[in-house]
Amino acid sequence: MTEPLSPEHLAWSGRFSEPVALLVQRYTASIGFDQRLALVDIEASLAHAAMLNHVGVLSDADLADIRRGMAQIEADIRADRFEFRLDLEDVHMNVERRLTELVGDAGKRLHTGRSRNDQVATDMRLYLRYAIDDIVSAIATLEEALLDLADAHSATVMPGFTHLQVAQPVTFGHHLLAYVEMFARDVERLVDARHRVNRLPLGAAALAGTSYPIDRVMVQEALGFEALCRNSLDAVSDRDFAIEFVAAAALFMTHISRLSEELVLWMSPRFGFIDIADRFCTGSSIMPQKKNPDVPELARGKSGRVAGHLLGLLMLMKGQPLAYNKDNQEDKEPLFDTIDTVLATARIFSELVPGITVNAAAMREAVEEGHATATDLADYLVRIGMPFRDAHEISAKAVRACVSQGRDLSDLSLSELKALDQRIGEDVLAVLKIEGSLASRSHLGGTAPAQVRAEIAWQRKRLRAA
Ligand code: ARG
């Protein structure tokens, strides 16, 4: 990018008696970060130009010139040889200035009946719409990866935790399906937010609409928007569509962060439940034995950054009177950073998940050390006629005895169990086995291996239909 010049002929310089200070140019320019809107800016301008021609405001020759010039600019941008100039402030003026250089007066006529205020709101919505589509498909790929891993471990036993204490046996497949549910809701939220992103502000002009006989619906349809923004003041000023997206993104990152935390715990030698392929880990420059789960740790950290962007955008919006204020230029960096972070994270996790190997023996050992079938014993006692509160008490006493003897509940013999209550029969032994506990939880949403396999099939079907 060029150094700031002192422009005599900026789009708005006619009103001014001295050039804007260089410091101010640098402070107010957005070209450093909004140049990524260039292609959607051209897309929207072409739709606007076609509409102006259709309603008789722009001649056929001008429209042809604009199309030709924009084709050249688009090619230059794609080939990375377009020179963005800081002195031209933002992406809109950079594109327009170049267009005018290329095709003359037709370039100057393009801005008829619009303002940068409705232009930038349109660009942001178009850009975000495309980004949401990329993110949704990246998260779907992550869901597939989780389903594949869950499928391989539909019957792999692991401890289910509450308070990070062993609670009840679950299957690793079931545990992974919990994240599939979370990510599926994240996608639902993004798809829902997309409907409100996908409305056309163009036509609002600076704030009050325009006196030209514009056809907004024609532009709406050309750009694939679902609806029009129906109030010009709102159209140019509110950024709730971006805030809503960042909120959904922050929730996705929160879910990623929970998964990351678990991966970090599971990979620590204290748990030893999983290993993550070397290509996703890094070593320590000082401790030769270390293999660190950097990707999950970084993702956990990045989730904080995206949550911060949400708060930043809310604060950006809350004090603004109608309609457009320059404050809104500050919507871009948090929004773009959120998009980049979410996309990169979804993509790297889709690659990382297949690189997880499971130490099933360590998982089983942890279940066996945790008296994880105590609830099953209590439930058994209820089935043979005991009130649940009493059953809970007896089962708890049995656990206490096991703890003092350094044994697990599932090691107790039939006669030891019968000593708890004479009504206890031989069938209790199956109940205390981990497999028995798992198999008994065979309802929708339960952890039984058969249920997990059925759920994986259901989720796969849902993804295929999406
Ligand atoms: N770069 C500006 C932004 O991002 C474009 C709109 C500028 N409008 C204005 N009236 N200064 O918000």
Side-chain angles (χ1 to χ4, degrees), residues 12 20 90 98 133 138 196 203 265 333 400 413 415 432 449-450:
W12 38 259
V20 69
D90 61 22
R98 180 73 185 128
D133 293 344
R196 285 173 295 281
L265 283 175
E333 286 159 294
R400 205 160 53 175
S413 69
S415 56
L432 293 186

Side-chain angles (χ1 to χ4, degrees), residues 3-231:
E3 274 300 290
L5 309 169
S6 291
E8 270 97 63
H9 298 292
L10 268 182
W12 38 259
S13 59
R15 155 84 177 72
F16 289 70
S17 58
E18 63 174 357
V20 69
L22 287 183
L23 264 180
V24 175
Q25 277 187 48
R26 285 202 196 92
Y27 194 75
T28 55
S30 54
I31 190 61
F33 47 84
D34 71 8
Q35 49 182 278
R36 67 158 89 190
L37 295 174
L39 292 178
V40 289
D41 192 70
I42 292 172
E43 187 182 348
S45 285
L46 289 173
H48 178 69
M51 180 277 289
L52 289 181
N53 172 254
H54 179 78
V55 300
V57 172
L58 193 74
S59 72
D60 291 350
D62 283 340
L63 177 61
D65 282 349
I66 288 170
R67 285 181 169 153
R68 178 170 51 81
M70 287 300 203
Q72 162 90 54
I73 293 171
E74 182 171 339
D76 287 347
I77 289 167
R78 288 189 191 279
D80 217 8
R81 54 169 187 251
F82 188 92
E83 201 201 328
F84 290 103
R85 288 168 46 183
L86 186 64
D87 60 307
L88 293 176
E89 197 175 316
D90 61 22
V91 66
H92 322 293
M93 299 211 279
N94 267 274
V95 171
E96 190 188 309
R97 171 64 65 98
R98 180 73 185 128
L99 180 68
T100 303
E101 274 169 23
L102 289 169
V103 305
D105 279 357
K108 297 188 195 162
R109 292 203 178 97
L110 171 62
H111 210 53
T112 311
R114 76 173 183 187
S115 147
R116 275 187 296 155
N117 296 351
D118 59 345
Q119 189 179 356
V120 72
T122 302
D123 291 2
M124 291 289 279
R125 285 169 179 269
L126 264 183
Y127 187 88
L128 181 53
R129 187 181 80 195
Y130 291 130
I132 289 176
D133 293 344
D134 289 345
I135 289 169
V136 162
S137 102
I139 298 178
T141 306
L142 171 57
E143 289 180 73
E144 308 260 13
L146 286 166
L147 287 172
D148 288 344
L149 190 61
D151 210 2
H153 294 284
S154 59
T156 303
V157 174
M158 76 174 282
F161 295 91
T162 58
H163 315 275
L164 203 56
Q165 316 270 334
V166 173
Q168 292 176 349
V170 295
T171 51
F172 187 50
H174 190 58
H175 196 109
L176 294 170
L177 283 176
Y179 286 101
V180 174
E181 278 281 281
M182 291 179 234
F183 295 141
R185 288 196 301 277
D186 292 329
V187 166
E188 273 179 43
R189 269 184 283 271
L190 288 166
V191 167
D192 192 59
R194 189 189 189 279
H195 294 300
R196 285 173 295 281
V197 170
N198 200 23
R199 294 176 188 173
L200 176 75
L202 209 64
L207 77 164
T210 175
S211 57
Y212 296 95
I214 57 171
D215 182 345
R216 296 188 67 204
V217 173
M218 181 180 167
V219 179
Q220 176 204 325
E221 284 169 359
L223 294 173
F225 282 102
E226 288 162 49
L228 295 175
C229 298
R230 302 185 66 87
N231 178 284

Side-chain angles (χ1 to χ4, degrees), residues 319-336:
Q320 288 192 52
L322 294 179
Y324 178 86
N325 303 279
K326 188 80 166 183
D327 311 41
N328 276 340
Q329 182 167 292
E330 286 288 308
D331 63 355
K332 287 170 195 61
E333 286 159 294
L335 181 69
F336 295 156

Side-chain angles (χ1 to χ4, degrees), residues 342-383:
V342 165
L343 255 184
T345 303
R347 283 177 180 155
I348 203 163
F349 270 70
S350 307
E351 302 282 321
L352 181 146
V353 166
I356 293 175
T357 48
V358 172
N359 183 346
M363 286 186 175
R364 175 174 281 273
E365 211 175 297
V367 182
E368 284 169 351
E369 281 168 7
H371 316 285
T373 53
T375 316
D376 297 274
L377 177 57
D379 287 344
Y380 175 86
L381 295 172
V382 168
R383 280 201 296 278

